[in-house]
Amino acid sequence: MTLLCLRVHRSAGVSAAPIPAILTQSDLLGSHLDLAAEMIHSLFLINHSGDIFLEKHWKSVIGRSVCDYFFEAKEKAVDPENVAPVLQTPHHYLISIYRGKLFFLSVIQTEVPPLFVIEFLHRVADTIQDYFGECSEGIIKDNVVTVYELLEEMLDNGFPLATESNVLKEMIRPPTILRTVVNTLTGGSNVGDTLPTGQLSSVPWRRAGVKYTNNEAYFDVIEEIDAILDKSGTTVFAEIQGVVEACVRLTGMPDLTLSFMNPRLLDDVSFHPCVRFKRWESERVLSFIPPDGNFTLMNYHVSTQNLVAIPVWVKQSISFFETGPCGRLDITVGPKQTMGKTVESLKVSIHMPKTVVSANLTATQGNYTYDLATKVLVWDIGKLNPQKLPNLRGSVSTQTGAPKPEDNPSLNIDLKIQQLAISGLKVSRLDMYGEKYKPFKGVKYLTKAGKFQVRT
Amino acid sequence: MSRFSLQIHCEASLILTPEGTLIRWENRQFGSKMTDSKYFTTTKKGEIFELKAELNSDKKEKKKEAVKKVIASMTVGKDVSALFPDVVNCMQTDNLELKKLVYLYLMNYAKSQPDMAIMAVNTFVKDCEDPNPLIRALAVRTMGCIRVDKITEYLCEPLRKCLKDEDPYVRKTAAVCVAKLHDINAQLVEDQGFLDTLKDLISDSNPMVVANAVAALSEIAESHPNSNLLDLNPQTINKLLTALNECTEWGQIFILDCLANYTPRDDRESQSICERVTPRLSHANSAVVLSAVKVLMKFMEMLPKDLDYYGTLLKKLAPPLVTLLSAEPELQYVALRNINLIVQRRPEILKHEMKVFFVKYNDPIYVKLEKLDIMIRLASQANIAQVLAELKEYATEVDVDFVRKAVRAIGRCAIKVEQSAERCVSTLLDLIQTKVNYVVQEAIVVIKDIFRKYPNKYESVIATLCENLDSLDEPEARAAMIWIVGEYAERIDNADELLESFLEGFHDESTQVQLQLLTAIVKLFLKKPTETQELVQQVLSLATQDSDNPDLRDRGYIYWRLLSTDPVAAKEVVLAEKPLISEETDLIEPTLLEELICHIGTLASVYHKPPSAFVEGSRGVQHKRLPGSAGSGESVESPDPGSAAGVTEAPPAVIPSQGDLLGDLLNLDLTPPTTTGPPPAPSSGMQLGAMDLLGGGLDSLLGGDLGGSAAMGAGFSAPPATMPASFNAPVSGGLDDLFDLGGGVGMPMGAYSPAKSIWLPAMKAKGLEISGTFARRAGVIQMEMTLTNKAMSVMSDFAIQFNRNSFGLAPAGPLQVLTPVNPNQSIEVSLPLSTVGPVMKMEPLTNLQVAVKNNIDVFYFSCQYPISMLFVEDGKMERQVFLATWKDIPNDNEAQFQIKDCHLNSDAASNKLQGSNVFTIAKRTVEGQDMLYQSTKLTNGIWVLAELRVQAGNPNYTVSLKCRAPEVSQCVFQSYEAMLKN
């Protein structure tokens, strides 16, 4: 409101006289390339050091200079992880993801759901991973034409076309040593020439005519504990991210039903499109016709505090002296709620303050390394023996003359527990309908630490 | 294999690195054939030549390899367009891979070689008839991507067939192709009836076809905001909901986004749609989840709150939102930006989920900052202890931005949750003790706000704050500290010394600090007049005489005059009891929030800006609104967009925390407005020197007869004590008078239309000369042209076409030249224009590119239309809306211009402008200056607000324009100038 009252004089802005645009025939009739209303206009793949090594345009070609805005943001963010995923430039939006030390950068010209774009970019990365076993600059360059063909197949005019791995693999076959050799010798092709059967059926994720001599269905229940513990070891926050990964190689059109002993644990789930949601709602069973091969059947989330068991305790003291360039460190780890299982691959990482230059410690078990560049101290413990608790202690030295560090280091814990889903989730049975043979079935459980952090 | 390719990759990259140097990598190893990295190893010279030879090879395999090399070069950004004819020659093949590769190439380069591209047409047409559906689809898909008009013409027939193809795969591809074609040539698509075919596809038996048809129609509808393409009725909605269950995840997103545009007829329909959409919340694709959330958030508005289902739905919304936060960080970021909106609209959904927003050490910074913001929004008495403990933890982290925001967050907690204030203050004091410079400064800024919220409660900490005076180097912190000293001057023994110490470097301070220092010293003076007379004189003269900052100077004069004429009033004003600041200082304005809720999941929701702010591609702004709720006993939605904010709850009274700078002066702003008429002569007092200013008024102040002097300044009609806490309220009182102009503006005159100018000289158009202008008559934009035939032969068969332009101008009918134009004959034509054509931002904004055809040739020219042609008749804004909008548009969007040598008085100017649909909403006169507040609406819904200042006797006007799309300001200004001077 003050605006209406306290007016101040400012010098008037004078703008340059408009220059009439020169028109060519193609400008007028037909090619309005500047305002294409598609969703994803272009994709650039950029490596860690900022080189563009692949570009794909679904419509007109957009100059690489558009990426300069991204490079600027990348420069500013210092760590590649910190580059904001949505950037605004005068004429475009840049939406990017960071996967496997690569940036997948898409250029957007119109209002588009950003999640849509981000999900799609992750799908591109997943597909590359799936096809070539890894998603890296080297592997993409090695298979550039296949990647290009894949991108063309995945998106048409900015609309996702085929993103299901099964469908894609029928259209563009993934490379194998044998096929590459045969193709090279015979001039064969790795592009399928018939319409993938899954494309249009009501089960687009599965192709018809699948045949196996050994019919098997494996399910891995993997849970990650995300937690923050405070100085005294009290849980500030804890939740479990669970996922059921499946590897199904079954002949024909099997219809599976997977049931749990305690489905009530799961109140927040997201499913692969193959899962029949109605049956889950009414009976709490997973009923589905599975895709062929590896896929993620279900993600779930357990956040009720009392259900989240914390498998280890950490006793730590890290202190820096007011005077003198050093500090003391003493860490002990012990088992807490492990349900009688062994904690393996235990690892503690500590982000030290910037001024710490070296560490002189003794570990009763495992060994430690201090990376001067990243300021991360990693103590690799291995298996946790409840009888003899591992301890790491000693002194750390800081730069001479540097003030006492202000920020407290924070500990990240890594661990694994085999044959345990820490939430207590258990599969009770798997039934198959629609086919006559007897498949081989198996369930594995694994608990891992996700973002597991202890504050000091 | 992996060892092989790894090794090769190393070699390949070795060769790649020295860009441009000539290294030829001849790898005769068998293994090298197995990867594509060989395509990256090319020489600079001779490369094209070699490829050409290989492309024309007789061996099929060699051909394919060559095309692959070409494609690889293309992917790394090299120009291989010179190979166009050779690549196209490879197109006729039965090898599908080769065909696809050639198609890929064609899409990239057809535009640069339109004449060559036509060679490919026959193959396309043939492929569209192929028995293999894959090839039919591929051909129609590729043709749509080739943006060459000659090819486009040939596309229509195959496309028509493919839209009716027996194979759904072909149909769904063809549906997308219609959208592509529309983008190239919208008229053609309409003429050929493809839009109707597309609409029919919504009823297709295959869900994927339905999804693609919806996607294509939505895309087309975006460039035609007024067309009723997606005519949503209960029947189509039902079809969409059925397809929703069966189509792909991407199709589900299109369908959900389309559903969100529908307005259900009643709460029952609303509930039934919600029930059918809810299962989407369990989808693995986060974009599906968020689109479903959008539909539910919108339709929920219609459900009565006492309905059981309403509660159920609220409960169902929380878990999926929480799950989004365990996804990849990029997804989390978008989710958090949207959750920020959702918790503002419906805090109850996530009120128990505070912990999921706790920041993890290794979250990316952009996630951390967003989480912090939401934590504050969710903070309540129930969880405040937890939140504070967290915030204190964050304040010791490494990242400076994050730490600052955490400290600020502690202050916001104190203001939001009264019970926590004491704990917050002591936490802040702890943090000040750390002496970390930026932490101390942030803490002081927020403590100032806490003082404003809880006066006379925590002043005991002032001593601690004063200890840190020297370490403050940021303007905001300095200003905050000065404010505190001035506000509590009577309790700080050495307040004068403290303020004096700031005064030494007065001119080096930022404006913020200068203004604050001025106010603080005046406060001090009013509180302790005897000791500080010298100080106040010093600051007043610094502000008024040595400063060239108009804000500072004006405020200095105001204080000065106030102190000299009526010190009692000065005291009443400057030391007035201030309104308490409200807790939510950064809430999104309710109308904007409603609009953003309708756009959940879009870029608008990430930037928290209305979609109209994305002027690029401004596809006619459709303001989406939440539907009114039914049966819940709430007030009926008002048609007035401004007051609609209050549909569910009254707009919160918000005073921005910085507002206190001027809050003290608020009363001053409300001196009774001078009625319109000849402006009074400038007050002589202002011109006088310092000596006179501190005249009798001060003496009486110093004389100590404060209480006795009951004479209030005539100007101070509103006693400060009654100043309401709402920001709007005190202003409206004063402005009511201002706005009492009503219809007194007089009769509008005719709309402004510039004189005709020559657009197309005869020399450039084989004898056809076109001159013209634009006019707006009875709400219709007319393009008025004079066509002159300066050639020797008769001209006939005229037709006209526009290129896409910023505001979608398009001919509303054909060019009416009924008789041929003889040599040396001129005819006048008037072409009515519509504004529903395709939109593309032009430079300059009002540029219009036109093609005119006659029997001789096609000619092109470009002209500019005055933007006033686009001012619509209903552009008069309600005053309250005007005020709110003016306030709401960020100051960055304001542009100020001068109009020189205009000799109209303000009424005449107002009349003249009204003729062109610039409406004067209010007028007031201050110090002989008339201020006109005006509004204008463009055809695409963009509002432009203006303040026009006219000083009697001064031919120079000043126009300040505020608009959400600041790009238009320049044009609007030009129109102002043209309209006024005409």
Side-chain angles (χ1 to χ4, degrees):
Chain A
M1 229 33 254
T2 52
L3 262 165
L4 292 178
C5 330
L6 286 178
R7 256 289 136 235
V8 291
H9 298 267
R10 261 170 277 154
S11 60
V14 181
S15 74
I19 306 152
I22 299 162
L23 227 75
T24 63
Q25 179 157 2
S26 66
D27 279 335
L28 190 70
L29 302 170
S31 53
H32 306 286
L33 294 170
D34 297 324
L35 194 95
E38 81 294 354
M39 312 203 111
I40 298 174
H41 196 292
S42 300
L43 174 72
F44 293 94
L45 297 194
I46 299 170
N47 69 15
H48 201 244
S49 48
D51 304 320
I52 302 169
F53 64 93
L54 187 140
E55 58 187 274
K56 166 87 181 115
H57 306 274
W58 278 274
K59 245 175 204 172
S60 57
V61 177
I62 290 182
R64 289 181 168 205
S65 57
V66 73
C67 299
D68 291 349
Y69 295 98
F70 173 78
F71 293 136
E72 205 172 290
K74 180 171 173 273
E75 201 68 30
K76 238 191 231 158
V78 187
D79 292 330
E81 290 85 2
N82 283 339
V83 184
V86 186
L87 295 172
Q88 194 175 7
T89 81
H91 299 285
H92 305 92
Y93 286 87
L94 305 178
I95 299 185
S96 63
I97 63 163
Y98 184 63
R99 280 268 300 254
K101 303 218 164 151
L102 299 180
F103 289 101
F104 290 70
L105 176 77
S106 58
V107 183
I108 307 297
Q109 276 186 320
T110 49
E111 175 65 91
V112 112
L115 276 187
F116 180 109
V117 181
I118 296 173
E119 281 278 1
F120 179 79
L121 293 177
H122 277 293
R123 212 58 64 84
V124 171
D126 291 343
T127 307
I128 292 173
Q129 171 94 33
D130 188 34
Y131 261 68
F132 312 115
E134 62 171 276
C135 181
S136 67
E137 184 183 357
I139 208 89
I140 293 172
K141 278 187 171 174
D142 282 350
N143 297 284
V144 67
V145 176
T146 314
V147 171
Y148 206 71
E149 286 171 335
L150 278 172
L151 290 174
E152 182 60 30
E153 215 52 69
M154 290 179 82
L155 207 64
D156 174 24
N157 195 40
F159 300 119
L161 197 60
T163 52
E164 281 288 335
S165 143
N166 290 288
V167 173
L168 280 171
K169 280 182 177 164
E170 278 187 68
M171 310 242 250
I172 296 158
R173 300 198 184 101
T176 62
I177 299 178
L178 184 67
R179 183 151 49 239
T180 317
V181 175
V182 170
N183 283 354
T184 315
L185 296 177
T186 63
S189 127
N190 63 338
V191 171
D193 55 4
T194 50
L195 194 59
T197 46
Q199 261 296 27
L200 293 157
S201 66
S202 55
V203 276
W205 54 86
R206 189 175 181 89
R207 63 196 163 99
V210 182
K211 272 212 175 79
Y212 287 103
T213 40
N214 295 323
N215 288 293
E216 21 179 53
Y218 298 109
F219 294 90
D220 291 353
V221 180
I222 303 164
E223 296 192 340
E224 288 192 359
I225 309 169
D226 287 352
I228 303 174
L229 307 185
D230 72 4
K231 265 186 238 268
S232 60
T234 321
T235 310
V236 176
F237 157 82
E239 63 179 7
I240 295 169
Q241 309 290 348
V243 59
V244 179
E245 298 281 2
C247 173
V248 178
R249 298 173 193 285
L250 296 173
T251 306
M253 272 288 167
D255 197 332
L256 302 180
T257 307
L258 185 73
S259 33
F260 297 99
M261 308 265 263
N262 38 9
R264 303 239 155 262
L265 277 175
L266 313 169
D267 51 3
D268 180 14
V269 286
S270 47
F271 299 121
H272 188 277
C274 67
V275 175
R276 297 182 180 100
F277 190 75
K278 284 255 158 63
R279 291 218 37 207
W280 169 258
E281 282 222 305
S282 56
E283 300 163 50
R284 297 268 145 184
V285 294
L286 299 181
S287 158
F288 56 99
I289 294 172
D292 185 37
N294 297 317
F295 65 100
T296 302
L297 178 64
M298 166 174 88
N299 288 289
Y300 61 94
H301 178 98
V302 180
S303 58
T304 327
Q305 200 98 77
N306 47 26
L307 286 177
V308 181
I310 302 293
V312 292
W313 54 261
V314 181
K315 213 179 109 190
Q316 41 75 22
S317 95
I318 303 171
S319 55
F320 295 95
F321 302 127
E322 206 64 66
T323 52
C326 65
R328 294 208 57 78
L329 180 148
D330 189 340
I331 303 172
T332 312
V333 189
K336 207 170 170 186
Q337 294 156 288
T338 60
M339 322 286 168
K341 308 275 184 193
T342 315
V343 177
E344 295 168 33
S345 314
L346 186 59
K347 202 197 267 182
V348 179
S349 324
I350 308 157
H351 293 261
M352 288 293 190
K354 283 193 194 76
T355 50
V356 173
V357 288
S358 68
N360 185 13
L361 311 165
T362 344
T364 60
Q365 186 188 339
N367 38 35
Y368 76 91
T369 51
Y370 181 59
D371 183 344
L372 203 56
T374 56
K375 305 286 177 194
V376 179
L377 176 75
V378 179
W379 177 26
D380 196 337
I381 303 171
K383 211 173 254 180
L384 181 62
N385 180 356
Q387 268 71 53
K388 198 172 151 278
L389 299 180
N391 170 274
L392 178 74
R393 78 170 81 188
S395 62
V396 292
S397 25
T398 54
Q399 264 161 24
T400 33
K404 187 184 164 207
E406 280 146 13
D407 45 312
N408 296 333
S410 156
L411 277 60
N412 282 345
I413 311 288
D414 249 336
L415 56 84
K416 266 185 195 158
I417 306 173
Q418 304 282 356
Q419 288 314 315
L420 172 75
I422 197 103
S423 68
L425 185 73
K426 276 215 167 72
V427 172
S428 66
R429 58 184 298 152
L430 176 72
D431 298 302
M432 186 179 77
Y433 305 93
E435 297 289 337
K436 296 229 157 36
Y437 55 86
K438 267 227 170 311
F440 187 81
K441 303 178 273 192
V443 180
K444 266 201 315 195
Y445 300 92
L446 176 67
T447 295
K448 294 197 277 192
K451 289 186 169 179
F452 194 121
Q453 177 191 338
V454 183
R455 289 174 179 164
T456 61
Chain B
M1 170 67 190
S2 63
R3 244 187 68 205
F4 246 139
S5 58
L6 198 72
Q7 181 201 341
I8 286 154
H9 160 60
C10 293
E11 277 184 70
S13 55
L14 256 178
I15 289 160
L16 263 183
T17 1
E19 187 69 51
T21 42
L22 191 125
I23 299 179
R24 181 89 175 108
W25 180 44
E26 289 282 359
N27 196 330
R28 304 270 176 215
Q29 283 174 25
F30 176 67
S32 72
K33 286 232 151 194
M34 292 170 55
T35 72
D36 296 339
S37 51
K38 61 177 181 286
Y39 304 129
F40 287 93
T41 64
T42 45
T43 57
K44 207 165 131 193
K45 281 180 199 161
E47 174 198 358
I48 299 282
F49 183 75
E50 269 178 40
L51 282 173
K52 209 178 177 82
E54 286 173 38
L55 285 169
N56 291 311
S57 156
D58 297 334
K59 289 190 190 134
K60 223 191 208 172
E61 185 53 26
K62 204 159 193 181
K63 255 189 191 177
K64 198 166 87 187
E65 283 299 298
V67 177
K68 277 194 178 180
K69 276 186 208 168
V70 172
I71 301 279
S73 302
M74 202 169 85
T75 60
V76 293
K78 287 182 196 161
D79 183 12
V80 284
S81 59
L83 294 167
F84 198 88
D86 309 280
V87 177
V88 170
N89 273 338
C90 304
M91 190 176 169
Q92 272 180 334
T93 168
D94 46 5
N95 181 319
L96 188 61
E97 186 181 17
L98 183 55
K99 195 183 272 287
K100 274 190 172 180
L101 290 171
V102 175
Y103 278 7
L104 279 179
Y105 178 89
L106 266 174
M107 287 185 225
N108 227 14
Y109 287 118
K111 201 205 158 217
S112 57
Q113 312 262 345
D115 295 330
M116 298 297 284
I118 204 86
M119 285 164 44
V121 160
N122 270 338
T123 320
F124 278 128
V125 174
K126 216 173 82 198
D127 283 355
C128 285
E129 310 266 335
D130 197 277
N132 184 341
L134 197 59
I135 291 181
R136 292 204 296 278
L138 184 64
V140 78
R141 184 175 131 203
T142 312
M143 269 179 103
C145 294
I146 297 179
R147 311 173 61 89
V148 174
D149 40 297
K150 283 182 191 158
I151 292 204
T152 315
E153 288 164 27
Y154 289 95
L155 177 59
C156 291
E157 277 323 298
L159 178 60
R160 195 187 316 283
K161 269 185 207 149
C162 288
L163 280 168
K164 303 222 155 95
D165 200 284
E166 52 172 19
D167 194 304
Y169 181 74
V170 181
R171 289 203 301 277
K172 84 168 195 167
T173 314
V176 175
C177 191
V178 175
K180 294 181 197 169
L181 186 59
H182 185 272
D183 189 39
I184 301 170
N185 190 339
Q187 198 58 45
L188 186 70
V189 169
E190 274 167 52
D191 296 347
Q192 296 279 334
F194 286 143
L195 291 181
D196 294 323
T197 324
L198 206 50
K199 280 188 213 164
D200 293 343
L201 287 183
I202 290 190
S203 315
D204 199 276
S205 58
N206 186 295
M208 320 266 241
V209 179
V210 178
N212 275 14
V214 169
L217 280 170
S218 310
E219 189 185 306
I220 294 170
E222 272 181 10
S223 53
H224 275 273
N226 300 329
S227 66
N228 209 6
L229 270 180
L230 271 165
D231 181 23
L232 296 175
N233 55 47
Q235 286 75 37
T236 45
I237 290 294
N238 201 30
K239 280 174 199 156
L240 292 180
L241 285 168
T242 312
L244 182 62
N245 289 326
E246 293 170 38
C247 68
T248 66
E249 48 197 310
W250 313 110
Q252 293 184 14
I253 300 170
F254 297 136
I255 293 183
L256 287 167
D257 286 347
C258 177
L259 278 177
N261 290 329
Y262 177 66
T263 308
R265 288 161 307 172
D266 52 28
D267 52 329
R268 208 178 290 160
E269 189 186 7
S270 189
Q271 176 175 348
S272 108
I273 295 175
C274 286
E275 279 165 356
R276 294 176 70 178
V277 166
T278 320
R280 298 302 121 208
L281 293 175
S282 298
H283 201 287
N285 184 320
S286 58
V288 175
V289 174
L290 204 55
S291 288
V293 169
K294 163 164 57 187
V295 175
L296 296 173
M297 282 293 287
K298 188 177 170 192
F299 290 8
M300 220 161 117
E301 297 287 328
M302 289 190 69
L303 300 177
K305 292 213 165 47
D306 46 1
L307 193 73
D308 285 346
Y309 181 72
Y310 179 82
T312 318
L313 196 54
L314 272 184
K315 279 201 201 95
K316 280 193 174 168
L317 277 168
L321 290 173
V322 170
T323 303
L324 290 178
L325 297 182
S326 55
E328 286 82 359
E330 299 94 1
L331 297 168
Q332 278 188 46
Y333 171 74
V334 177
L336 284 165
R337 291 296 286 171
N338 281 283
I339 289 174
N340 200 326
L341 297 173
I342 294 169
V343 296
Q344 287 187 57
R345 181 78 196 164
R346 299 201 175 274
E348 62 270 33
I349 294 176
L350 287 165
K351 67 178 173 200
H352 299 304
E353 303 291 346
M354 173 61 92
K355 284 190 173 179
V356 299
F357 299 103
F358 284 2
V359 171
K360 287 169 196 145
Y361 182 82
N362 41 4
D363 282 335
I365 182 73
Y366 56 82
V367 168
K368 284 183 176 173
L369 295 175
E370 290 307 317
K371 280 187 171 174
L372 202 52
D373 218 40
I374 295 172
M375 280 173 68
I376 303 303
R377 299 213 189 277
L378 289 176
S380 67
Q381 203 184 333
N383 56 24
I384 194 75
Q386 260 183 339
V387 174
L388 263 184
E390 280 294 304
L391 293 177
K392 201 175 171 186
E393 196 71 44
Y394 304 159
T396 61
E397 275 225 29
V398 201
D399 190 288
V400 178
D401 285 344
F402 182 57
V403 170
R404 281 176 182 274
K405 195 154 182 182
V407 176
R408 248 172 223 237
I410 297 174
R412 278 167 70 188
C413 278
I415 290 164
K416 189 164 178 199
V417 185
E418 183 161 5
Q419 293 79 357
S420 76
E422 196 158 339
R423 208 162 350 157
C424 293
V425 171
S426 80
T427 308
L428 288 169
L429 283 180
D430 286 351
L431 290 171
I432 288 177
Q433 298 303 346
T434 63
K435 302 279 177 196
V436 180
N437 186 278
Y438 53 87
V439 173
V440 172
Q441 309 210 39
E442 287 296 328
I444 286 179
V445 172
V446 295
I447 286 179
K448 177 207 69 184
D449 289 343
I450 295 176
F451 283 169
R452 291 215 53 194
K453 173 77 180 181
Y454 310 108
N456 304 320
K457 237 175 150 177
Y458 301 108
E459 283 74 13
S460 55
V461 308
I462 291 177
T464 321
L465 302 184
C466 289
E467 286 166 20
N468 293 285
L469 214 58
D470 297 334
S471 65
L472 308 179
D473 52 12
E474 291 165 18
E476 201 179 354
R478 286 173 83 83
M481 194 64 223
I482 293 170
W483 182 86
I484 292 172
V485 174
E487 189 65 17
Y488 299 101
E490 68 273 30
R491 305 190 201 183
I492 305 171
D493 291 337
N494 59 344
D496 49 345
E497 281 170 37
L498 294 176
L499 292 176
E500 201 171 356
S501 69
F502 281 104
L503 207 55
E504 280 161 19
F506 189 77
H507 288 300
D508 301 328
E509 299 283 1
S510 73
T511 311
Q512 189 184 10
V513 178
Q514 288 175 334
L515 287 169
Q516 202 50 263
L517 197 52
L518 172 63
T519 306
I521 291 178
V522 171
K523 281 183 193 164
L524 173 71
F525 171 69
L526 290 167
K527 286 173 178 174
K528 303 178 178 174
T530 41
E531 309 122 61
T532 54
Q533 196 177 355
E534 202 177 315
L535 194 60
V536 80
Q537 227 157 11
Q538 204 183 337
V539 78
L540 286 175
S541 92
L542 277 172
T544 53
Q545 286 166 5
D546 300 343
S547 167
D548 50 7
N549 180 317
D551 278 336
L552 186 64
R553 205 183 49 214
D554 289 358
R555 195 193 287 196
Y557 275 127
I558 291 167
Y559 280 143
W560 207 324
R561 203 150 74 108
L562 203 57
L563 290 175
S564 57
T565 52
D566 194 341
V568 182
K571 199 161 187 176
E572 296 278 1
V573 170
V574 179
L575 301 181
E577 202 173 303
K578 273 160 283 298
L580 297 183
I581 58 172
S582 137
E583 55 244 42
E584 300 288 359
T585 47
D586 55 350
L587 280 179
I588 294 174
E589 184 244 338
T591 36
L592 178 59
L593 181 62
E594 284 200 12
E595 196 179 350
L596 289 176
I597 288 284
C598 297
H599 287 96
I600 282 177
T602 63
L603 280 169
S605 74
V606 172
Y607 282 96
H608 292 186
K609 280 186 204 161
S612 50
F614 297 75
V615 147
E616 189 80 10
S618 76
R619 52 295 261 318
V621 187
Q622 296 161 294
H623 283 285
K624 293 186 186 170
R625 300 276 314 282
L626 290 174
S629 86
S632 57
E634 282 171 333
S635 63
V636 185
E637 204 173 326
S638 124
D640 172 6
S643 61
V647 174
T648 45
E649 56 215 271
V654 176
I655 290 208
S657 54
Q658 288 308 309
D660 56 282
L661 290 179
L662 290 162
D664 308 342
L665 286 168
L666 219 48
N667 271 4
L668 259 191
D669 304 338
L670 297 173
T671 42
T674 328
T675 43
T676 50
S683 157
S684 58
M686 290 303 267
Q687 260 73 30
L688 293 177
M691 303 308 238
D692 293 340
L693 285 173
L694 285 179
L698 256 191
D699 289 342
S700 69
L701 184 66
L702 294 172
D705 58 348
L706 280 175
S709 162
M712 288 276 283
F716 300 94
S717 52
T722 59
M723 194 150 75
S726 148
F727 193 83
N728 290 328
V731 182
S732 61
L735 288 180
D736 267 349
D737 302 332
L738 294 183
F739 285 126
D740 264 350
L741 285 166
V745 207
M747 286 301 289
M749 295 185 288
Y752 157 73
S753 164
K756 275 187 183 173
S757 57
I758 293 186
W759 285 339
L760 182 70
M763 276 168 62
K764 286 193 176 171
K766 302 186 179 165
L768 174 66
E769 183 187 274
I770 301 180
S771 60
T773 183
F774 293 87
R776 189 179 178 95
R777 292 207 197 90
V780 179
I781 307 168
Q782 301 279 356
M783 184 174 184
E784 297 182 338
M785 286 177 285
T786 308
L787 308 180
T788 309
N789 182 352
K790 296 197 169 172
M792 305 298 281
S793 57
V794 175
M795 291 179 181
S796 62
D797 304 328
F798 285 93
I800 193 163
Q801 205 181 340
F802 292 179
N803 198 352
R804 295 172 169 219
N805 51 72
S806 311
F807 294 93
L809 283 181
L815 189 64
Q816 298 283 352
V817 185
L818 300 172
T819 51
V821 186
N822 293 316
N824 279 328
Q825 188 192 351
S826 286
I827 57 154
E828 307 278 333
V829 262
S830 190
L831 177 71
L833 305 184
S834 73
T835 53
V836 295
V839 173
M840 176 170 74
K841 193 179 172 190
M842 299 298 292
E843 196 55 50
L845 209 57
T846 54
N847 198 19
L848 182 66
Q849 301 177 334
V850 184
V852 168
K853 187 189 85 87
N854 62 11
N855 56 334
I856 299 169
D857 203 346
V858 184
F859 310 105
Y860 306 96
F861 64 90
S862 69
C863 54
Q864 281 188 47
Y865 46 93
I867 202 168
S868 55
M869 294 305 118
L870 306 171
F871 295 172
V872 295
E873 281 65 26
D874 63 340
K876 184 160 185 167
M877 215 178 220
E878 291 289 318
R879 334 167 186 166
Q880 288 306 326
V881 182
F882 184 91
L883 287 176
T885 315
W886 184 279
K887 199 179 88 189
D888 186 47
I889 298 176
N891 282 339
D892 293 349
N893 285 14
E894 186 174 345
Q896 197 172 63
F897 304 98
Q898 294 278 340
I899 297 175
K900 295 211 161 65
D901 298 325
C902 187
H903 296 278
L904 299 168
N905 70 24
S906 60
D907 286 345
S910 170
N911 272 357
K912 206 156 192 175
L913 291 171
Q914 179 142 359
S916 295
N917 295 336
V918 176
F919 299 95
T920 302
I921 293 169
K923 172 177 167 181
R924 65 194 201 106
T925 309
V926 174
E927 303 289 352
Q929 219 178 32
D930 287 345
M931 317 256 210
L932 299 176
Y933 297 98
Q934 299 175 320
S935 75
T936 305
K937 190 168 116 184
L938 302 186
T939 45
N940 61 355
I942 292 180
W943 284 93
V944 183
L945 309 188
E947 187 204 69
L948 181 67
R949 269 180 293 148
V950 183
Q951 180 119 35
N954 181 349
N956 295 346
Y957 291 10
T958 309
V959 193
S960 300
L961 297 170
K962 258 188 152 186
C963 178
R964 285 193 205 280
E967 293 88 335
V968 304
S969 297
Q970 179 67 33
C971 300
V972 173
F973 157 66
Q974 285 163 359
S975 277
Y976 257 83
E977 193 161 35
M979 290 182 289
L980 286 170
K981 289 191 177 169
N982 171 44

